[in-house]
Amino acid sequence: MVLTLRQKTILNLIVSDYIHGAVPVASQALSQNHSLGVSPATIRNDIMELERESFLGRPYSSAGTIPLDKAYRVYVESMPLVQMHRVPNDVKIRVRSRLVEVEQDMEEWSSVAATLLANLVCNMGIATFPRAYQSRVRHLQVVSIQDNQALLIVVLEQGRVKHQFVRLEEPLPSDAVQAVANKLNDVSCGKSAKEICVTNLDLSSIEECLINATIEILEQEDIARRPEYYLLGLSNILRQPEFTSSDSVGEIVGAIEDGSLAQAVLNEAPDGTMVRVVIGHENQEDKLRPLSLVLSQYGIPGEASGVVGAVGPMRMEYDRTIAGVQLMVELMSDLVESVQGTN
């Protein structure tokens, strides 16, 4: 069905009123509260047509109408035609300041970003740690433990620190530790596992053991399938009238606890930095069907990136949520660029 301009206007007004009121919208209230320039009978006829085409539904026959998935999609795609929500400057400054506080502690990025976004959009926030397309070495350290054993410490470019005990073919003298570490840094810094493997290296047996362990660490990091994430703000969801029943709450909490909700959300993430909105039954997995997602990647395309987004009911404030996600993408990308620039 191709909507007329008036039908699209009526539909968007119903969606907007329902988002902010959380109660079915009656045609009489629509006529009284908005200047549509047509008779109440015309509005009723348009609403009936929108119901027949599954844009609107009714919880029971005498109730007003509520938006269905298709209505929210029309509403979201119409938003560029109206005034988009703008995050106030004082809020931007507070969010940026909080992220700057953890700029040197990259393990905190995902937690802080998810918390900030959840508070910003009054829904759940999700954020993953930025991952390089190929893990690369930023710095190596070697600690001699005893006899033929050493501790290898590998700092990756995206800030993760990996430790591995390495059994050597011969003892590593304490006075040779720094020289070995310096040589390993010379041959591996800034390189991926594949790049180290194809480099012509003149190494001692000890150095070869340590460089092989480094390659193993990089390869394991590259094949890790599940990104580390934080999904926070459940209390925001539980305050929504859609989730007042014990069954719906139990399903959401259970899916959060076993990690399946977050993984399903991340499976919907877009490949690029454009914001993707996924509404209700557009989601691939059943557990997400009562929800809408607003997701985007952040970071440096082709180098290091993560996912940030919001999870909430279909009756979410999409303009506010999209603006919040866009702000977090901008700020998180700045953090990644700052760290990459120091390598």
Side-chain angles (χ1 to χ4, degrees):
M1 174 186 178
V2 178
L3 299 179
T4 67
L5 180 58
R6 186 179 68 235
Q7 288 172 332
K8 185 178 288 188
T9 299
I10 289 172
L11 188 63
N12 285 336
L13 288 172
I14 290 173
V15 174
S16 179
D17 287 356
Y18 185 67
I19 285 173
H20 294 98
V23 294
V25 180
S27 59
Q28 183 178 1
L30 196 67
S31 176
Q32 291 174 347
N33 296 334
H34 303 284
S35 301
L36 291 167
V38 294
S39 68
T42 299
I43 294 174
R44 285 196 298 273
N45 288 336
D46 279 337
I47 289 176
M48 289 173 61
E49 180 65 18
L50 291 168
E51 284 186 79
R52 281 193 292 270
E53 296 295 331
S54 299
F55 287 94
L56 300 173
R58 295 178 188 268
Y60 49 90
S61 58
S62 60
T65 57
I66 61 173
L68 302 179
D69 301 37
K70 288 171 63 176
Y72 288 111
R73 173 52 59 192
V74 171
Y75 179 78
V76 168
E77 293 182 354
S78 299
M79 283 197 301
L81 304 178
V82 298
Q83 181 65 38
M84 282 288 291
H85 178 86
R86 296 185 183 278
V87 179
N89 284 333
D90 61 325
V91 175
K92 289 183 179 180
I93 291 170
R94 287 200 302 271
V95 172
R96 185 185 295 273
S97 297
R98 181 68 185 98
L99 285 171
V100 168
E101 288 176 8
V102 297
E103 184 174 6
Q104 302 305 317
D105 187 1
M106 285 175 283
E107 296 291 345
E108 289 292 312
W109 285 13
S110 301
S111 173
V112 171
T115 300
L116 289 171
L117 185 57
N119 294 336
L120 197 59
V121 304
C122 297
N123 280 302
M124 287 194 293
I126 188 168
T128 67
F129 191 82
R131 296 182 62 84
Y133 284 79
Q134 283 190 313
S135 298
R136 296 175 184 276
V137 176
R138 180 195 290 182
H139 182 69
L140 289 175
Q141 286 181 287
V142 179
V143 178
S144 180
I145 304 299
Q146 59 182 9
D147 299 331
N148 290 38
Q149 195 172 46
L151 173 64
L152 174 65
I153 304 170
V154 181
V155 183
L156 304 177
E157 280 195 344
Q158 62 270 46
R160 291 178 57 80
V161 180
K162 310 296 288 187
H163 303 80
Q164 184 166 314
F165 288 103
V166 181
R167 183 165 295 280
L168 306 174
E169 293 186 0
E170 58 185 272
L172 174 59
S174 58
D175 59 355
V177 170
Q178 191 57 52
V180 168
N182 290 342
K183 186 168 183 180
L184 294 177
N185 276 293
D186 287 342
V187 301
S188 66
C189 281
K191 294 180 180 177
S192 65
K194 184 179 293 186
E195 289 168 341
I196 295 173
C197 287
V198 300
T199 303
N200 291 323
L201 303 175
D202 180 17
L203 303 177
S204 67
S205 61
I206 290 176
E207 292 162 349
E208 188 169 349
C209 286
L210 291 168
I211 206 67
N212 287 339
T214 302
I215 292 169
E216 182 181 346
I217 288 172
L218 293 171
E219 289 176 340
Q220 289 176 348
E221 190 72 8
D222 286 342
I223 64 174
R225 293 184 178 180
R226 179 174 293 184
E228 294 184 7
Y229 65 86
Y230 283 89
L231 177 63
L232 303 173
L234 176 61
S235 61
N236 294 333
I237 290 284
L238 299 186
R239 285 194 290 266
Q240 306 287 357
E242 290 91 336
F243 306 110
T244 53
S245 76
S246 58
D247 288 344
S248 59
V249 169
E251 290 174 4
I252 290 176
V253 171
I256 290 173
E257 288 180 343
D258 66 19
S260 62
L261 184 76
Q263 195 57 49
V265 169
L266 295 175
N267 288 342
E268 299 285 358
D271 292 332
T273 55
M274 294 293 292
V275 173
R276 184 184 185 209
V277 179
V278 191
I279 300 167
H281 282 76
E282 295 173 359
N283 285 292
Q284 298 177 53
E285 296 203 29
D286 290 345
K287 61 174 62 70
L288 296 180
R289 298 290 165 79
L291 303 169
S292 283
L293 319 175
V294 180
L295 302 166
S296 181
Q297 285 196 21
Y298 69 88
I300 304 173
E303 294 189 28
S305 65
V307 175
V308 65
V311 182
M314 287 189 286
R315 192 190 53 80
M316 68 163 58
E317 293 183 59
Y318 288 94
D319 55 349
R320 177 183 183 179
T321 305
I322 291 171
V325 171
Q326 288 174 330
L327 173 63
M328 295 306 300
V329 167
E330 176 187 342
L331 298 179
M332 295 291 282
S333 295
D334 287 347
L335 281 181
V336 174
E337 290 178 4
S338 174
V339 170
Q340 294 291 97
T342 64
N343 293 334

